Amino acid sequence: MGDRSANRFLRQGLLALALLTPAAGFAAESPAVTSPRLSATLVSSRDTVQPGERFQVALKQKITKGWHTYWANPGDSGEATKIDWTLPEGYAAGEIQWPAPKAIPFPPLVNFGFEGTVLLPVEITVPESAKPGETLTLKANATWLVCEKICIPEEGLFTLDLPIGPAAVVDEQAQQRIEAVRAALPQPAQFKARLTGEGDRLALALPGIGKAATDLRFFPLSDTLIDHAAPQALAAEGEGASLQLTRSSAFKITRPELSGVVTYREGSIPRALTLVADVEPSLVTAATEAAPSGTAVVRTPAPPPESDLTLWAALAFAFAGGLILNLMPCVLPVLFIKALGFAQLAQANRAEVREQGLLFLCGVLATFLVLASIVIGLGALGTSVGWGFQLQSPPVVIALAVIMALIGFNLLGAFEVGSSVQGVGHGLASSGGRMGAFMTGALAVIVATPCTAPFMGAAMGYALTQPPALALCVFLALALGFAAPVVMLSFAPGWLRLLPKPGRWMVILKQAFAFPMFATAIWLVWVASVQAGPMGVLAALVAVLAAGFLVWLLGLSRGAGGRTRVATSILALLVAIGAGTFVVQSAVPSDGPSEARAGEVEAWSPERVAALQAQGRPVFVNFTAAWCITCLANERVSLSRQEVKDAFASLKVAYLKADWTNRDKVIAQALAEHGRAGVPLYLFYPASKGGQAEILPQLLTTDMLITAAERAAGREVKTAASR
Amino acid sequence: MKAMTRQTFIAGLALAGLTLTAGAGFAQNAPKIGAAAPAFSVVDADGKPQKLSDFAGKTVILEWTNHDCPYVRKHYNSATMQNLQKDMTKDGVVWLSVISSPPGEQGYADGPQAKNLTKTRDAAPSNVLLDPKGAMGRAYHAQTTPHMYIINPQGTLVYAGAIDDKPSASASSLNGAKSYVRQAMTELKAGKPISEAATKSYGCAIKLAPTT
């Protein structure tokens, strides 16, 4: 095959393009783009589309015998078919829904692709605002590589005019063909696969595929995972199957999960499943550790921008974040009253004050260490959790609400706490014991967990991408920052003399501080309502009631005789067991992701971002959670301001919300990709396809939002004068 | 919360156990980054024998090629490949273009044809190696055209993979493409570790004569 014949092929490809004539009238299939190797059309399942509906179209490739086109991962050579859409405003096209590929051997290589006739379905979303009577023009610029032994890149520009009507008109034939293909698409596996490895060998455990399955083959989406052509030996693995794979020589896994398709037969029935596999953590970081030489080091791809922090900067951020945590409304009362306790003590015994300050520090450090070990430990095991993760569990939220309410009651003087429930507030105002000071530290950290202070996000995100030892250092810096004000006061109680003499004002102040605690409790009950619905609210309030009743009972029994004591203890135990059971049973997370709560806000998904960008719209993504107070503050103070809404509207910014109130793997992964371990995270994607997001600070201002919107849109707000 | 932690922990233990048992697999001998590059013994376009050991002490770049492959054409039609060859050989690097296609397959060239290709395309390899039996292609596990390899003066394979990070046949993909070869050579020269030493090559499937 000489130079000239290749040129001829290319020219034929171009000729095929030229043959495209404008569609005459309305048809559910575009004119064909034809070459001797392949004939392609765009097919629609609708003759008439309806506003607000989603429908399927498909790129149909009729491939000449002996030739093939490629799957999402083409295998050892080749290139996947791509479609670029040009759609009217408001319309969106999804990704190609890939049918299960075939392994096409070309010894010693193998390709993944399609032979014969293949339909690649794509979902089109019609906006509600589409006007019946007008015409929708779908334009798809598709490129594909078609190969036999030799490969020819081809492309086609497909145009399909579809009328918009009050009701959809289905093209029965096209609908049937596309739906038949979609029915045969790989189905999500109902089990979690696991990828483990040693040396050059990898093992993919498929616990949900029975021993009767034959002809198993795994097609990874990533082309840097396995040696595509190596045999995939089948081994039994407990109840299920396991495939023995060989590492790619360009082996690289960048995230703890990987996806792909597994095809097999059950008897004579072909099956195809899409898999999401957990990857053994050591595989993710160790790229080609098989390489013995020090001259070649393979790095994981460039770290996300936020993680470019140096260790020192991360430590400084963590310390500052810890300091600022002291000012959070739920923490401030606890600490302020501790400080007042010092003031009373100070006159008597400076050494004791110092000792208490250090014990408080120990309490803070110990509690932070426990939290950090959980976060880091789970991260190392491949579970994505982040800061504030514990608030994704309704029972934890309810427990925090109870603690807040009890502290509130205590501050109001509704009960005094004896030695039995020491730490749940008693040590706050009085001198307390040593245990009391330690517990105050622990309590302060626990009440602080709902809050993410500014600077903390970047530091936490950095911490979780580092080896455990460094991550622990960051957590310790946060703890030191958090404990610093109280410890400093304990060493320099002289500052306390600036306060008026202890007296009645302290009692009043103490009572006043009850109200921020109640407010925090109310907010936590609201979080429970978002997570677990009306039953969550009931459970939370019952828990508060039971806790209040219990401390009252315990208070009564303190002064009473032995028999009364026994009786009240039994009663208390019964109440605790009853209420506890009820709370745990009722506080079940509601099914499905929580919906975006604001009106014009759409739910976030990575596909939606890509689709909107492809339409030329800038995209703002708000990663938030009901339990994240910084998030809620930003929404109040800046995001919901009219200037921002106007600017977003005039720049056609799409506002997407990713709600992390309940656990969500995809969101956790997106956070990790941007170097964060928790919410809030604000991203602004430019209006160009595939454009990278700009990360906004964790405290938003209206000006910041508007200028970021302008940058993303590549122009200024037209109504700038109104600012 | 506690329950979840425990579950995850157990899952982790199970995973760790699996790691230890993941054994029986398939031994393979693809050339390893950081190990000695596979030896070869082929002839050049003039029919002269060429061996890897002839180039000891020099950095060697291998370029698998097939002049009719659209991906190779992308790099030659835009002069990207020729410029890379000139920049590299100028610094004393040995650039060997390797043709592994057997007679009758796309990309095959005999000696005179290979020399003519170099001339007409204004290419600047140090030499063109003919591997019509595919032995050298198999030794290196060359998969596509182009497929690039860099061997350091000690004979160690330090890079294997794609020529750049844009797996496309379209000429526009050259805009903003990152050349893995230039990156590796810059790092090699500076005595730094190669940051991306193994990448996935892209292009046309390599055509090898069947083994007999």
Side-chain angles (χ1 to χ4, degrees):
Chain A
M1 159 126 271
D3 235 342
R4 207 167 297 149
S5 49
N7 270 336
R8 199 181 66 226
F9 268 123
L10 289 179
R11 229 176 298 129
Q12 278 168 350
L14 291 176
L15 207 67
L17 251 180
L19 282 176
L20 240 177
T21 46
F26 299 121
E29 184 159 7
S30 74
V33 170
T34 333
S35 76
R37 300 157 294 277
L38 187 148
S39 168
T41 56
L42 186 65
V43 190
S44 163
S45 65
R46 293 281 186 277
D47 285 328
T48 301
V49 303
Q50 182 186 340
E53 76 161 338
R54 293 171 179 196
F55 70 101
Q56 304 290 329
V57 297
L59 178 68
K60 185 170 100 182
Q61 295 176 329
K62 227 171 112 183
I63 307 164
T64 306
K65 197 168 163 30
W67 295 77
H68 58 265
T69 60
Y70 292 91
W71 186 59
N73 169 9
D76 285 330
S77 62
E79 191 176 335
T81 299
K82 288 189 189 72
I83 309 177
D84 269 341
W85 293 92
T86 309
L87 298 171
E89 180 162 339
Y91 287 80
E95 300 292 319
I96 294 176
Q97 302 159 49
W98 293 101
K102 259 178 74 171
I104 302 167
F106 186 65
L109 310 180
V110 69
N111 287 131
F112 302 152
F114 308 103
E115 295 171 324
T117 297
V118 60
L119 271 78
L120 305 175
V122 171
E123 184 173 86
I124 305 287
T125 307
V126 185
E128 291 287 352
S129 59
K131 293 201 179 60
E134 293 186 351
T135 300
L136 159 63
T137 302
L138 293 176
K139 274 192 197 155
N141 184 19
T143 55
W144 59 85
L145 186 74
V146 55
C147 298
E148 179 208 30
K149 278 181 186 167
I150 61 166
C151 296
I152 312 293
E154 297 186 338
E155 79 177 305
L157 182 61
F158 303 89
T159 308
L160 205 48
D161 287 326
L162 299 170
I164 303 164
V169 178
V170 171
D171 183 306
E172 287 298 341
Q173 205 191 344
Q175 165 97 349
Q176 271 177 22
R177 295 202 57 175
I178 297 176
E179 287 311 315
V181 168
R182 294 186 70 228
L185 289 178
Q187 299 297 308
Q190 298 303 311
F191 57 86
K192 192 94 183 182
R194 290 185 311 275
L195 185 77
T196 51
E198 197 192 333
D200 267 346
R201 294 179 219 112
L202 297 171
L204 182 68
L206 304 164
I209 295 182
K211 289 192 179 99
T214 56
D215 297 345
L216 267 82
R217 179 152 200 134
F218 173 58
F219 298 88
L221 262 185
S222 156
D223 63 1
T224 57
L225 180 67
I226 60 170
D227 180 337
H228 299 127
Q232 302 191 349
L234 180 63
E237 161 88 33
E239 291 299 296
S242 169
L243 281 177
Q244 307 293 312
L245 309 168
T246 306
R247 275 196 202 211
S248 161
S249 52
F251 183 79
K252 180 146 83 177
I253 302 181
T254 51
R255 38 175 75 184
E257 274 192 346
L258 67 92
S259 40
V261 166
V262 64
T263 60
Y264 60 102
R265 287 181 171 280
E266 249 170 19
S268 60
I269 308 160
R271 305 248 183 230
L273 299 175
T274 35
L275 293 181
V276 176
D278 281 333
V279 176
E280 179 187 343
S282 65
L283 291 175
V284 180
T285 39
T288 54
E289 72 200 342
S293 149
T295 54
V297 179
V298 176
R299 232 182 10 203
T300 43
E306 208 70 6
S307 294
D308 279 345
L309 285 182
T310 62
L311 177 62
W312 292 113
L315 292 177
F317 275 19
F319 189 85
L323 271 180
I324 296 172
L325 263 184
N326 282 291
L327 298 175
M328 292 293 165
C330 37
V331 185
L332 191 61
V334 178
L335 299 180
F336 200 84
I337 284 163
K338 181 79 212 161
L340 287 186
F342 287 166
Q344 283 176 322
L345 254 180
Q347 278 96 0
N349 192 341
R350 294 188 73 159
E352 197 179 331
V353 169
R354 226 170 287 154
E355 187 188 71
Q356 287 214 5
L358 289 176
L359 282 166
F360 173 87
L361 175 67
C362 291
V364 169
L365 287 178
T367 317
F368 260 103
L369 277 180
V370 170
L371 277 176
S373 328
I374 295 175
V375 171
I376 295 168
L378 290 184
L381 293 176
T383 307
S384 24
V385 294
W387 186 247
F389 71 94
Q390 65 277 44
L391 292 174
Q392 288 168 344
S393 153
V396 173
V397 170
I398 291 172
L400 278 170
V402 169
I403 293 175
M404 300 288 175
L406 286 182
I407 297 174
F409 287 137
N410 174 260
L411 292 173
L412 271 185
F415 66 93
E416 288 295 324
V417 182
S419 54
S420 55
V421 201
Q422 189 158 61
V424 190
H426 180 59
L428 298 181
S430 72
S431 57
R434 288 176 182 168
M435 190 64 183
F438 183 87
M439 290 308 286
T440 311
L443 181 70
V445 176
I446 289 167
V447 296
T449 51
C451 308
T452 301
F455 302 115
M456 258 179 73
M460 292 289 113
Y462 171 85
L464 296 185
T465 58
Q466 299 303 310
L470 290 185
L472 266 184
C473 290
V474 175
F475 272 97
L476 283 180
L478 182 65
L480 289 175
F482 184 69
V486 167
V487 175
M488 271 158 58
L489 268 184
S490 75
F491 275 81
W495 296 357
L496 287 168
R497 293 203 196 99
L498 297 175
L499 293 175
K501 269 194 163 170
R504 191 172 148 65
W505 68 272
M506 284 176 85
V507 178
I508 295 172
L509 189 65
K510 182 181 151 192
Q511 286 172 351
F513 270 133
F515 296 99
M517 303 314 287
F518 288 133
T520 312
I522 290 173
W523 168 63
L524 286 165
V525 171
W526 175 74
V527 172
S529 82
V530 174
Q531 288 174 326
M535 283 311 279
V537 178
L538 187 63
L541 295 178
V542 165
V544 172
L545 176 70
F549 183 68
L550 280 179
V551 290
W552 176 73
L553 263 187
L554 293 174
L556 276 189
S557 73
R558 273 169 76 205
R563 208 177 300 160
T564 329
R565 264 199 150 154
V566 174
T568 47
S569 301
I570 292 173
L571 186 58
L573 199 68
L574 288 178
V575 170
I577 292 172
T581 319
F582 176 76
V583 168
V584 170
Q585 281 175 352
S586 319
V588 187
S590 39
D591 293 334
S594 21
E595 298 153 31
R597 281 175 298 277
E600 65 252 78
V601 180
E602 271 188 78
W604 168 88
S605 71
E607 297 78 25
R608 189 71 191 124
V609 172
L612 287 163
Q613 277 187 297
Q615 283 170 31
R617 294 184 65 184
V619 183
F620 175 75
V621 188
N622 173 8
F623 289 83
T624 182
W627 39 260
C628 160
I629 208 146
T630 317
C631 305
L632 300 180
N634 278 325
E635 280 170 30
R636 265 311 118 68
V637 178
S638 47
L639 276 168
S640 58
R641 291 287 284 272
Q642 199 57 41
E643 304 97 282
V644 173
K645 284 184 179 165
D646 290 346
F648 277 23
S650 85
L651 294 168
K652 302 207 175 354
V653 172
Y655 182 169
L656 304 186
K657 201 170 201 174
D659 190 330
W660 207 39
T661 304
N662 289 328
R663 281 171 65 82
D664 185 311
K665 242 186 174 133
V666 184
I667 293 178
Q669 201 167 53
L671 291 171
E673 274 165 26
H674 292 92
R676 288 290 169 80
V679 286
L681 169 66
Y682 303 103
L683 297 179
F684 235 121
Y685 287 90
S688 59
K689 207 179 157 189
Q692 288 302 302
E694 179 189 347
I695 299 177
L696 302 190
Q698 284 185 310
L699 278 184
L700 297 174
T701 64
T702 51
D703 274 356
M704 190 191 288
L705 277 166
I706 294 169
T707 52
E710 287 168 347
R711 276 195 300 277
R715 61 197 166 93
E716 288 187 11
V717 186
K718 280 180 205 140
T719 54
S722 70
R723 250 202 275 165
Chain B
M1 194 56 230
K2 249 181 205 150
M4 190 200 75
T5 316
R6 198 159 41 222
Q7 272 168 17
T8 320
F9 183 61
I10 291 168
L13 280 183
L15 210 73
L18 269 173
T19 317
L20 297 173
T21 51
F26 185 71
Q28 77 136 24
N29 47 2
K32 286 262 188 292
I33 301 296
F40 57 80
S41 173
V42 288
V43 294
D44 64 16
D46 289 321
K48 278 197 220 128
Q50 299 286 345
K51 297 195 300 290
L52 178 58
S53 50
D54 299 343
F55 305 104
K58 287 186 174 163
T59 302
V60 177
I61 298 180
L62 302 178
E63 170 217 355
W64 257 267
T65 188
N66 157 359
H67 60 277
D68 273 335
C69 162
Y71 295 85
V72 171
R73 294 168 59 88
K74 171 181 89 166
H75 290 283
Y76 275 98
N77 290 351
S78 59
T80 317
M81 187 69 88
Q82 294 91 322
N83 289 338
L84 184 61
Q85 292 167 341
K86 285 169 192 162
D87 289 350
M88 295 301 141
T89 50
K90 193 173 63 193
D91 285 353
V93 169
V94 176
W95 182 294
L96 303 173
S97 301
V98 187
I99 300 174
S100 284
S101 298
E105 296 287 1
Q106 186 191 53
Y108 172 74
D110 60 17
Q113 283 166 338
K115 288 170 87 168
N116 192 42
L117 277 168
T118 301
K119 203 175 135 202
T120 53
R121 292 187 298 185
D122 190 27
S126 313
N127 213 336
V128 182
L129 306 185
L130 306 180
D131 176 41
K133 296 217 169 102
M136 184 173 172
R138 274 175 225 284
Y140 278 83
H141 280 231
Q143 295 183 319
T144 60
T145 53
H147 199 158
M148 308 298 300
Y149 297 82
I150 302 176
I151 302 163
N152 74 8
Q154 291 78 46
T156 305
L157 184 65
V158 295
Y159 176 80
I163 183 161
D164 65 23
D165 64 346
K166 292 279 156 58
S168 162
S170 127
S172 64
S173 69
L174 289 164
N175 281 333
K178 173 169 84 176
S179 168
Y180 288 129
V181 173
R182 279 188 195 276
Q183 174 179 285
M185 288 300 290
T186 308
E187 288 166 344
L188 190 65
K189 239 162 89 184
K192 286 192 217 154
I194 289 170
S195 49
E196 286 162 299
T199 62
K200 175 72 185 78
S201 72
Y202 69 87
C204 304
I206 207 144
K207 287 118 189 106
L208 296 179
T211 43
T212 45

